[in-house]
Amino acid sequence: MHQILIVEDEIKIAHSLQQVLEGEGYVVRIAMTGEEGFFLINTEIFDIVILDIMLPGRSGLEILEALRSHDNQTLVLILTARDALEDRISGLDSGADDYMVKPFAASELLARIRVLLRRGRSEPVFQLQFADLSLDLVVREAQRGGQPLDLTAKEFDLLAYLLRHQGRFITRSMIARDLWQETTRATPMDNVIDVHMARLRRKVDKDFPEKLIHTIRGIGFIMKREES
Ligand code: CA
């Protein structure tokens, strides 16, 4: 039985989410404030926390940052307002596993939760696959269309990171934090990342008609298939 915590101050939204989730057999708790949510996450075990960003007092982002800085690896899905793209980016930077934009369909939320529960945070994976790309994480070899790609260690790590986050936005600060263990948002780091990314894209995409690595202006990168 999966345990889900909803941290949301709007009682109507919290209760309707609870109903939907309980209807699917999840065990649901509600915290109405950031403080209460933070306390529960630190004293009980949840499979997923649905965390609203806009909370009175301690915001969802502050809670998320505090959790991750204490190495709490609970799966977190954040809820953001429609036009708050910044919140989504900072949420992912702070270690959110996914986000939903309000208002959303219950079916979409349930689908995301199923994916998160299946994927987990730190499930050991030995092989990554996307389109005609495949990475063997044990021997650290990458292939596209059956042809080996000649990657440096860093390029391999970067490509693996893109594959792990396929279909989702990746910001430069996520890459800096997760691949360079660099937490400050210094401009020189962005340049280093861009140089590595440019080299990687040449090796992965140059000889193939379909490009898989895309730049998203003002955000970062995404690994996705080209829409035909
Ligand atoms: Ca709220």
Side-chain angles (χ1 to χ4, degrees):
M1 197 66 71
H2 291 294
Q3 315 268 341
I4 298 182
L5 174 67
I6 301 168
V7 188
E8 164 67 89
D9 59 309
E10 284 154 277
I11 187 93
K12 267 190 176 166
I13 295 181
H15 280 155
S16 72
L17 286 180
Q18 181 179 32
Q19 263 186 349
V20 168
L21 293 169
E22 285 179 349
E24 293 293 305
Y26 296 111
V27 176
V28 180
R29 294 281 297 277
I30 293 178
M32 302 284 296
T33 66
E35 282 77 12
E36 192 190 345
F38 188 70
F39 175 78
L40 283 174
I41 297 166
N42 281 298
T43 47
E44 298 182 28
I45 292 171
F46 297 97
D47 297 288
I48 293 189
V49 176
I50 298 173
L51 181 61
D52 188 32
I53 295 285
M54 293 292 284
L55 295 167
R58 201 165 188 179
S59 85
L61 284 181
E62 290 173 299
I63 293 170
L64 180 57
E65 274 162 14
L67 286 178
R68 295 300 186 237
S69 71
H70 289 89
D71 212 29
N72 183 310
Q73 298 299 316
T74 307
L75 289 165
V76 173
L77 185 151
I78 54 172
L79 304 181
T80 75
R82 176 164 290 289
D83 32 321
L85 180 62
E86 270 300 305
D87 279 353
R88 260 168 270 163
I89 296 172
S90 354
L92 295 173
D93 279 347
S94 308
D97 297 283
D98 204 351
Y99 62 83
M100 301 269 320
V101 179
K102 288 184 185 179
F104 48 81
S107 57
E108 176 66 14
L109 177 72
L110 292 172
R112 301 285 192 95
I113 286 175
R114 280 195 296 272
V115 169
L116 281 179
L117 288 173
R118 203 172 332 122
R119 198 186 72 203
R121 259 201 97 75
S122 53
E123 188 179 279
V125 175
F126 303 112
Q127 187 99 33
L128 295 171
Q129 205 97 36
F130 184 70
D132 54 352
L133 258 180
S134 73
L135 267 64
D136 185 322
L137 300 175
V138 182
V139 295
R140 290 178 63 85
E141 278 174 4
Q143 293 191 340
R144 181 155 186 199
Q147 294 300 108
L149 300 173
D150 184 19
L151 305 179
T152 64
K154 209 62 178 182
E155 287 162 0
F156 184 90
D157 290 342
L158 194 51
L159 186 58
Y161 193 75
L162 285 164
L163 260 77
R164 283 199 178 93
H165 294 82
Q166 54 188 256
R168 294 196 288 158
F169 296 140
I170 295 170
T171 66
R172 289 181 179 80
S173 36
M174 284 168 74
I175 296 173
R177 180 195 65 202
D178 295 337
L179 295 181
W180 270 270
Q181 275 73 48
E182 182 66 62
T183 46
T184 53
R185 294 173 181 237
T187 323
M189 202 62 228
D190 283 2
N191 293 336
V192 170
I193 290 168
D194 286 350
V195 167
H196 278 85
M197 191 62 90
R199 284 200 201 116
L200 178 64
R201 289 174 80 160
R202 263 201 304 279
K203 293 179 182 180
V204 171
D205 278 338
K206 190 175 147 277
D207 296 335
F208 294 85
E210 186 184 20
K211 310 304 173 204
L212 299 177
I213 304 172
H214 305 267
T215 302
I216 307 292
R217 269 190 72 175
I219 298 177
F221 309 94
I222 189 167
M223 166 147 279
K224 65 177 181 77
R225 306 205 64 158
E226 284 176 351
E227 279 101 37
S228 47

